[in-house]
């Protein structure tokens, strides 16, 4: 039985934006709820990388320790994502999404009141539990709500909300650092991170639980799956390879985006305001990559998307960090770098939704994506420590290439899932 929303369904439209015209009202409401949930999640997460240089200067923190704060956040998000995925199999996708949004909003606000770096790390760790859980619940929710032939474009387009949220965070940085001294501006940015909690009111009123998930829970008759069932013999290979794919995809992304603002300001000598234009070009490229990648996920399939952009992203990271290019060339190169480092993410949510059976989808998808996030979380710390013995640019390139190589290998070993119809009894 298909996982589409109930009601009449308009004819299919294979154009880039055709899925949106073809969605039913319940599908469309779920789409926007997940889009803005992911955007606000991104805004809260990206605040720290944008103020990391200020934190280093104010509290005399070395780069390794500064990167550790990102790693701790991502490690805890891995745990939070797996737990949230499992809870969503028990309590429902929408309820779990509401809980995670409130969680990460509250702890982002509390970061504004941290008195030292230790407190900040602890609060970022607790924030990570909700940060990881939000993606798990949201990706499963929209993956089960949207019909199979639109799923890649819809889920991938939701992923573009990350670029939107990142852009909002950069805009907040430009405004707050223009109006307030650095020692105050970074706290204001974190305080504004409480805004996502308002999205919960929309979720409670407009977004319903997917029929396929509700039927699957009803069919269990109280016999709920174990959190460890994704490691049983019949599903273990899928779980391992999906986790590898998630590790490569996110390890490369976080190695680049965590340290790029610092690289532009410290290694390239740009001011906060001047670096904003470079980040803006990168973010526009990223947003475009998410949208085009979403279309390609349905057009050429999930595996070809991952394979193509693992190679392209590797080449562009090398060009951006290792070639002796001028600042003007770097500005232009930011667009294709952002494009290729983001396009493959558009296939992940739909791919993981289609890989796992419905009764295990929350646990499996939550684990695969967030295990990758947890291992990928080590990359920002390793980049920070390695930059003590070599240039920051070279350290970024090394770990990005390792990550994209892992993503390429996993994609080659996993099956294509494009067009797979979800069933409550699978």
């Amino acid at each position: 039985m298909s996982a589409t929303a109930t009601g009449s369904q308009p004819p299919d439209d294979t154009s880039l934006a055709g899925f949106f015209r073809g969605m039913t009202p319940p599908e469309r409401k779920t789409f926007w709820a997940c889009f803005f949930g992911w955007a606000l999640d991104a805004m809260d997460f990206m605040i720290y990388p944008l103020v990391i240089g200020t934190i280093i200067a104010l509290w005399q923190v070395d780069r390794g320790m500064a990167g550790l704060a990102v790693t701790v956040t991502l490690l805890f998000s891995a745990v939070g994502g797996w737990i949230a995925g499992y809870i969503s199999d028990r309590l429902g996708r929408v309820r779990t999404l509401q809980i995670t949004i409130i969680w990460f909003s509250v702890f982002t606000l509390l970061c504004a009141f941290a008195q030292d770096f230790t407190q900040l790390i602890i609060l970022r760790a607790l924030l990570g539990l909700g940060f990881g859980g939000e993606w798990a619940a949201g990706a499963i929710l929209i993956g089960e709500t949207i019909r199979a032939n639109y799923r890649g474009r819809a889920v991938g387009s939701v992923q573009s909300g990350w670029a939107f949220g990142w852009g909002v965070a950069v805009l907040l940085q430009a405004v707050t650092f223009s109006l307030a001294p650095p020692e105050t501006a970074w706290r204001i940015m974190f305080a504004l991170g409480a805004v996502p909690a308002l999205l919960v009111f929309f979720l409670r009123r407009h977004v319903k639980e997917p029929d396929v998930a509700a039927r699957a829970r009803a069919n269990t008759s109280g016999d709920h799956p174990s959190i460890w069932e994704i490691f049983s013999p019949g599903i273990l290979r899928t779980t391992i390879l999906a986790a590898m794919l998630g590790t490569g995809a996110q390890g490369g992304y976080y190695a680049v985006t965590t340290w790029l603002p610092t690289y532009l300001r410290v290694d390239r000598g740009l001011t906060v305001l001047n670096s904003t234009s470079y980040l803006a070009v990168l973010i526009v490229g990223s947003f475009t990559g998410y949208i085009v990648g979403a279309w390609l996920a349905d057009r050429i399939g999930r595996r070809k998307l991952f394979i193509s952009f693992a190679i392209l992203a590797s080449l562009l990271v090398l060009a951006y960090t290792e070639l002796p290019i001028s600042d003007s060339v770097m500005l232009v190169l930011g667009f294709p770098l952002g494009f290729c480092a983001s396009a493959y993410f558009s296939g992940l949510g739909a791919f993981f939704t289609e890989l796992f059976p419905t009764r295990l989808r929350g646990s499996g998808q939550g684990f695969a994506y967030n295990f990758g996030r947890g291992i990928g979380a080590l990359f920002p710390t390793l980049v920070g420590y390695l930059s003590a013995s070599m240039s920051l640019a070279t350290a970024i390139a090394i770990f990005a290439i390792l990550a994209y190589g892992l993503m390429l290998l996993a994609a080659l070993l996993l099956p294509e899932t494009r067009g797979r119809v979800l069933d409550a009894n699978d």
Side-chain angles (χ1 to χ4, degrees):
M1 188 175 294
S2 174
T4 59
T6 57
S8 61
Q9 296 174 0
D12 296 345
D13 186 336
T14 59
S15 66
L16 184 62
F19 78 93
F20 190 77
R21 292 190 293 269
M23 283 194 293
T24 62
E27 288 176 322
R28 192 172 290 114
K29 289 175 182 177
T30 301
F31 173 86
W32 285 118
C34 292
F35 176 90
F36 284 110
W38 192 226
L40 295 168
D41 206 7
M43 182 189 78
D44 279 8
F45 178 81
M46 291 305 296
I47 286 172
Y48 178 75
L50 290 170
V51 302
I52 196 171
T54 302
I55 297 296
I56 288 173
L58 289 176
W59 286 341
Q60 301 299 303
V61 180
D62 64 50
R63 286 183 178 180
M65 286 298 295
L68 180 63
V70 178
T71 296
V72 169
T73 303
L74 295 175
L75 286 172
F76 273 74
S77 76
V79 176
W82 186 13
I83 293 173
Y86 175 69
I87 291 174
S88 75
D89 285 338
R90 301 288 298 270
L91 300 182
R93 317 314 193 196
V94 176
R95 186 179 301 178
T96 304
L97 184 60
Q98 292 170 352
I99 293 169
T100 57
I101 289 174
I102 291 174
W103 184 282
F104 76 72
S105 299
V106 168
F107 282 101
T108 301
L109 173 62
L110 292 177
C111 286
F113 301 98
Q115 298 301 302
D116 56 41
F117 192 67
T118 299
Q119 291 181 15
L120 185 61
I121 286 183
I122 293 172
L123 291 169
R124 294 289 294 178
L126 293 171
L127 176 154
L129 293 174
F131 168 68
E134 192 278 337
W135 186 92
I140 300 163
L141 171 63
I142 190 168
E144 291 179 334
T145 300
I146 306 297
R147 75 200 75 160
N149 51 324
Y150 288 164
R151 190 178 299 125
R153 278 170 288 171
V155 179
S157 295
V158 162
Q159 193 76 41
S160 70
W162 182 272
F164 182 84
W166 186 8
V168 171
V170 171
L171 180 61
L172 286 177
Q173 181 197 34
V175 172
T176 55
F177 277 77
S178 297
L179 300 177
E183 59 270 20
T184 302
W186 73 270
R187 294 185 184 276
I188 295 173
M189 288 184 67
F190 278 121
L192 292 171
V195 170
L198 299 175
L199 181 63
V200 170
F201 295 103
F202 179 86
L203 288 167
R204 288 177 62 85
R205 184 175 179 86
H206 296 290
V207 180
K208 306 300 181 184
E209 187 73 6
D211 289 342
V212 68
R215 289 194 301 271
R217 288 200 304 279
N219 291 343
T220 61
S221 300
D223 181 23
H224 295 288
S226 164
I227 196 171
W228 306 107
E229 194 170 335
I230 57 173
F231 303 110
S232 60
I235 198 72
L236 179 61
R237 182 178 184 274
T238 296
T239 300
I240 291 173
L241 290 175
M244 283 177 56
L245 184 72
T247 299
Q250 295 178 92
Y253 185 84
Y254 288 124
V256 174
T257 57
T258 297
W259 286 109
L260 204 58
T262 302
Y263 168 68
L264 290 173
R265 291 196 294 271
V266 177
D267 291 42
R268 301 294 297 201
L270 301 173
T271 65
V272 170
L273 291 179
N274 287 339
S275 66
T276 299
S277 60
Y278 288 79
L279 293 175
V281 172
L282 189 75
I283 291 167
V284 171
S286 179
F287 181 83
T288 308
Y290 286 130
I291 298 298
V292 175
W295 178 71
L296 288 173
D298 279 340
R299 190 74 173 180
I300 66 175
R302 293 30 165 162
R303 290 177 72 249
K304 288 182 180 178
L305 177 75
F306 302 140
I307 291 167
S308 300
F309 283 96
I311 295 170
L312 290 172
S314 298
L315 294 174
L316 281 162
V317 168
L318 284 174
Y320 197 87
T321 59
E322 296 302 301
L323 293 182
I325 56 178
S326 65
D327 288 349
S328 58
V329 172
M330 178 170 284
L331 179 67
V332 174
L333 198 60
F335 183 89
L337 175 62
F339 184 97
C340 292
S342 301
Y344 60 81
F345 269 105
S346 295
L348 283 179
F351 190 53
F352 287 159
T353 294
E354 294 156 351
L355 278 176
F356 293 97
T358 300
R359 67 187 299 271
L360 297 176
R361 184 164 296 123
S363 296
Q365 185 164 345
F367 174 81
Y369 188 88
N370 288 288
F371 176 88
R373 179 179 277 168
I375 300 301
L378 299 174
F379 287 36
T381 296
L382 295 173
V383 168
Y385 281 114
L386 193 61
S387 68
S389 58
M390 63 179 64
S391 71
L392 180 58
T394 300
I396 291 171
I398 288 173
F399 285 101
I401 301 306
L402 286 174
Y404 292 136
L406 185 63
M407 181 173 77
L408 177 62
L409 176 62
L412 290 170
L413 295 173
L414 282 164
E416 178 58 61
T417 62
R418 177 178 52 164
R420 183 170 292 178
V421 176
L422 308 182
D423 194 295
N425 298 312
D426 60 5

